[in-house]
Amino acid sequence: FALFFGLVIFANAVTLSVEANHQMKHLGQNRFEYLDWVFLVCYSVEIAMKFAVHRWYIFVGSDCAWNIFDTVLVAVLLCSNVITRFIAMDGSSNAGFVQSLRVLRL
C-alpha cells in the first residue's frame, strides 16, 4: 500500500516537472490535464481506503498531521481542477488566474 502510493507520488512529481517545462514552452496549452485527474483519483482512493479502514481515527491517530495534510491537499487539487475545467469550458483566456491555481498544487 505505502510502496504503491509512494510510487504514485514520485510519478506525480516527475509529471509536474515535465508539465511545468512544457507549459513554459507552450503557454496556454495543458496536455497533461488528464494525468492530473488520474493522480487526483489515485489520491482520493488512498484517502477513501484509509477512511474505510480507520474511520475518523485517521484524523486523531499517530499520523493525523499527514492525513489532514493529504485531505486538504486533495481538496485543493479537486477545487483547482474543477475551476480550471470550468474556465477552459467557458473559453475565457484568463491564463494568469489558471497559472496561479496550478502553482497552488506545488
Short mmCIF file of all heavy atoms in Angstrom, two decimals, residues 13 21 33 43 46 51 54 65 68 71 74-76 80 84-85 87 98-99:
data_model
loop_
_atom_site.label_atom_id
_atom_site.label_comp_id
_atom_site.label_asym_id
_atom_site.label_seq_id
_atom_site.Cartn_x
_atom_site.Cartn_y
_atom_site.Cartn_z
N ALA A 13 5.32 13.78 -9.15
CA ALA A 13 6.38 14.79 -9.10
C ALA A 13 7.09 14.91 -10.43
O ALA A 13 7.36 16.01 -10.92
CB ALA A 13 7.36 14.46 -7.99
N ASN A 21 7.74 22.37 -17.44
CA ASN A 21 8.63 22.65 -18.55
C ASN A 21 7.85 22.84 -19.85
O ASN A 21 8.12 23.75 -20.63
CB ASN A 21 9.66 21.53 -18.70
CG ASN A 21 10.72 21.84 -19.72
OD1 ASN A 21 11.17 22.96 -19.83
ND2 ASN A 21 11.11 20.82 -20.49
N GLU A 33 -3.58 17.49 -18.59
CA GLU A 33 -4.77 17.65 -17.77
C GLU A 33 -5.36 16.30 -17.34
O GLU A 33 -5.76 16.13 -16.19
CB GLU A 33 -5.83 18.46 -18.51
CG GLU A 33 -7.07 18.69 -17.70
CD GLU A 33 -8.11 19.52 -18.43
OE1 GLU A 33 -7.86 19.95 -19.56
OE2 GLU A 33 -9.18 19.69 -17.86
N TYR A 43 -5.11 9.73 -5.39
CA TYR A 43 -5.02 10.28 -4.04
C TYR A 43 -6.35 10.19 -3.31
O TYR A 43 -6.40 9.94 -2.11
CB TYR A 43 -4.53 11.73 -4.06
CG TYR A 43 -3.11 11.88 -4.59
CD1 TYR A 43 -2.76 12.91 -5.44
CD2 TYR A 43 -2.12 10.97 -4.23
CE1 TYR A 43 -1.47 13.06 -5.91
CE2 TYR A 43 -0.82 11.11 -4.70
CZ TYR A 43 -0.51 12.15 -5.54
OH TYR A 43 0.77 12.29 -6.01
N GLU A 46 -6.78 6.69 -2.15
CA GLU A 46 -5.94 6.43 -0.97
C GLU A 46 -6.63 6.93 0.30
O GLU A 46 -6.69 6.21 1.30
CB GLU A 46 -4.59 7.13 -1.13
CG GLU A 46 -3.70 6.97 0.09
CD GLU A 46 -2.47 7.84 0.06
OE1 GLU A 46 -2.43 8.83 -0.70
OE2 GLU A 46 -1.54 7.54 0.83
N PHE A 51 -9.83 5.88 5.15
CA PHE A 51 -11.03 6.18 5.92
C PHE A 51 -11.90 4.94 6.10
O PHE A 51 -12.49 4.73 7.16
CB PHE A 51 -11.84 7.29 5.24
CG PHE A 51 -12.96 7.81 6.08
CD1 PHE A 51 -12.70 8.69 7.12
CD2 PHE A 51 -14.26 7.40 5.86
CE1 PHE A 51 -13.73 9.15 7.92
CE2 PHE A 51 -15.30 7.86 6.65
CZ PHE A 51 -15.03 8.75 7.69
N HIS A 54 -9.90 2.92 8.88
CA HIS A 54 -9.69 3.53 10.19
C HIS A 54 -10.79 4.49 10.63
O HIS A 54 -10.75 4.97 11.76
CB HIS A 54 -8.35 4.30 10.20
CG HIS A 54 -7.17 3.45 9.90
ND1 HIS A 54 -6.72 2.48 10.77
CD2 HIS A 54 -6.35 3.39 8.82
CE1 HIS A 54 -5.66 1.88 10.25
NE2 HIS A 54 -5.41 2.41 9.06
N ALA A 65 -1.48 14.33 11.42
CA ALA A 65 -0.99 15.52 10.72
C ALA A 65 -0.86 15.23 9.22
O ALA A 65 -1.27 16.05 8.38
CB ALA A 65 0.34 15.98 11.30
N ILE A 68 -4.43 14.78 7.66
CA ILE A 68 -5.10 16.06 7.48
C ILE A 68 -4.48 16.81 6.31
O ILE A 68 -5.18 17.36 5.46
CB ILE A 68 -5.05 16.90 8.78
CG1 ILE A 68 -5.92 16.24 9.86
CG2 ILE A 68 -5.48 18.34 8.54
CD1 ILE A 68 -5.73 16.83 11.25
N THR A 71 -5.61 15.22 3.07
CA THR A 71 -7.01 15.53 2.80
C THR A 71 -7.18 16.96 2.30
O THR A 71 -7.90 17.20 1.32
CB THR A 71 -7.87 15.30 4.05
OG1 THR A 71 -7.68 13.95 4.50
CG2 THR A 71 -9.33 15.53 3.78
N VAL A 74 -5.76 17.19 -1.29
CA VAL A 74 -6.66 16.61 -2.28
C VAL A 74 -7.86 17.53 -2.52
O VAL A 74 -8.30 17.71 -3.65
CB VAL A 74 -7.10 15.19 -1.86
CG1 VAL A 74 -8.26 14.70 -2.69
CG2 VAL A 74 -5.94 14.23 -1.97
N ALA A 75 -8.37 18.15 -1.46
CA ALA A 75 -9.49 19.09 -1.62
C ALA A 75 -9.08 20.30 -2.46
O ALA A 75 -9.83 20.74 -3.34
CB ALA A 75 -10.00 19.54 -0.25
N VAL A 76 -7.88 20.82 -2.21
CA VAL A 76 -7.38 21.96 -3.01
C VAL A 76 -7.17 21.54 -4.46
O VAL A 76 -7.52 22.28 -5.39
CB VAL A 76 -6.08 22.52 -2.39
CG1 VAL A 76 -5.39 23.49 -3.33
CG2 VAL A 76 -6.37 23.20 -1.07
N SER A 80 -9.03 23.12 -7.63
CA SER A 80 -8.20 23.67 -8.70
C SER A 80 -8.56 23.06 -10.05
O SER A 80 -8.72 23.77 -11.05
CB SER A 80 -6.73 23.43 -8.38
OG SER A 80 -5.92 23.75 -9.48
N THR A 84 -10.33 25.07 -13.06
CA THR A 84 -9.60 25.11 -14.33
C THR A 84 -10.45 24.55 -15.46
O THR A 84 -10.48 25.11 -16.56
CB THR A 84 -8.28 24.32 -14.21
OG1 THR A 84 -7.51 24.85 -13.14
CG2 THR A 84 -7.48 24.40 -15.49
N ARG A 85 -11.17 23.49 -15.19
CA ARG A 85 -12.04 22.88 -16.21
C ARG A 85 -13.15 23.84 -16.60
O ARG A 85 -13.47 24.01 -17.76
CB ARG A 85 -12.59 21.56 -15.69
CG ARG A 85 -13.70 20.91 -16.49
CD ARG A 85 -13.47 20.66 -17.94
NE ARG A 85 -12.27 20.00 -18.31
CZ ARG A 85 -11.78 20.05 -19.55
NH1 ARG A 85 -12.39 20.71 -20.50
NH2 ARG A 85 -10.69 19.42 -19.85
N ILE A 87 -13.14 27.13 -16.37
CA ILE A 87 -12.56 28.25 -17.12
C ILE A 87 -12.27 27.82 -18.56
O ILE A 87 -12.53 28.56 -19.50
CB ILE A 87 -11.28 28.77 -16.43
CG1 ILE A 87 -11.68 29.50 -15.15
CG2 ILE A 87 -10.49 29.69 -17.34
CD1 ILE A 87 -10.50 29.93 -14.30
N VAL A 98 -5.39 30.90 -14.01
CA VAL A 98 -5.20 29.46 -14.11
C VAL A 98 -3.78 29.08 -13.71
O VAL A 98 -3.57 28.10 -13.00
CB VAL A 98 -5.52 28.96 -15.54
CG1 VAL A 98 -5.18 27.49 -15.69
CG2 VAL A 98 -6.97 29.21 -15.87
N GLN A 99 -2.79 29.88 -14.12
CA GLN A 99 -1.40 29.60 -13.75
C GLN A 99 -1.23 29.64 -12.23
O GLN A 99 -0.53 28.82 -11.65
CB GLN A 99 -0.45 30.60 -14.41
CG GLN A 99 -0.33 30.43 -15.91
CD GLN A 99 0.45 29.20 -16.29
OE1 GLN A 99 1.23 28.68 -15.50
NE2 GLN A 99 0.24 28.71 -17.49
#
